[in-house]
Amino acid sequence: TEEGAVEVRTYLENGHAVIEVEDTGIGMDPEMAEDLFEPFRQASEGLSRTYEGTGVGLAVTSETIDQMGGRVDVDTEEGVGSRFTVRLPRSERKGDDARGDASRP
């Protein structure tokens, strides 16, 4: 975003690790949001588009999250900003303490 803020939050919720990335940028029409996860799609397309990029970043992100058993959601409003929320199943490893750090012998 050229003006405003970008916030990144992480937390645990219902057995999932959650990552939220929220900005106060340009946002977009909520009906276009699902198309962003298709390869080579952007909210602004064509020769007169405002922003650069190939439009594969969110498609790769979505596929990677899907392969890890998670999901990604987007909430957006044109002129207000967007929030992308990633939910990944939290794995419990033997020897982890309550903070998730591996125990050392």
Side-chain angles (χ1 to χ4, degrees), residues 1-49:
T1 182
E2 292 181 23
E3 293 183 21
V6 176
E7 292 185 32
V8 178
R9 293 179 287 279
T10 61
Y11 54 92
L12 296 176
E13 179 181 81
N14 299 324
H16 289 85
V18 181
I19 304 165
E20 289 183 345
V21 179
E22 184 171 3
D23 70 48
T24 57
I26 61 169
M28 70 192 88
D29 180 345
E31 291 182 14
M32 297 182 70
E34 286 304 313
D35 288 343
L36 290 177
F37 299 104
E38 297 297 321
F40 308 108
R41 296 301 305 264
Q42 296 178 329
S44 170
E45 294 185 329
L47 296 175
S48 63
R49 73 179 194 214

Side-chain angles (χ1 to χ4, degrees), residues 11-18 68 87-93 96-101:
Y11 54 92
L12 296 176
E13 179 181 81
N14 299 324
H16 289 85
V18 181
M68 295 187 325
R87 287 181 174 77
L88 298 170
R90 185 166 181 246
S91 68
E92 297 291 332
R93 293 179 286 171
D96 283 0
D97 66 17
R99 295 173 303 174
D101 297 329

Side-chain angles (χ1 to χ4, degrees), residues 48-105:
S48 63
R49 73 179 194 214
T50 306
Y51 299 97
E52 303 253 344
T54 59
V56 297
L58 287 175
V60 170
T61 299
S62 179
E63 179 64 25
T64 302
I65 291 166
D66 185 55
Q67 288 181 16
M68 295 187 325
R71 73 174 212 238
V72 60
D73 298 305
V74 60
D75 293 309
T76 187
E77 185 175 341
E78 199 165 357
V80 176
S82 301
R83 180 177 57 235
F84 290 84
T85 305
V86 174
R87 287 181 174 77
L88 298 170
R90 185 166 181 246
S91 68
E92 297 291 332
R93 293 179 286 171
K94 265 187 166 174
D96 283 0
D97 66 17
R99 295 173 303 174
D101 297 329
S103 299
R104 300 182 203 270

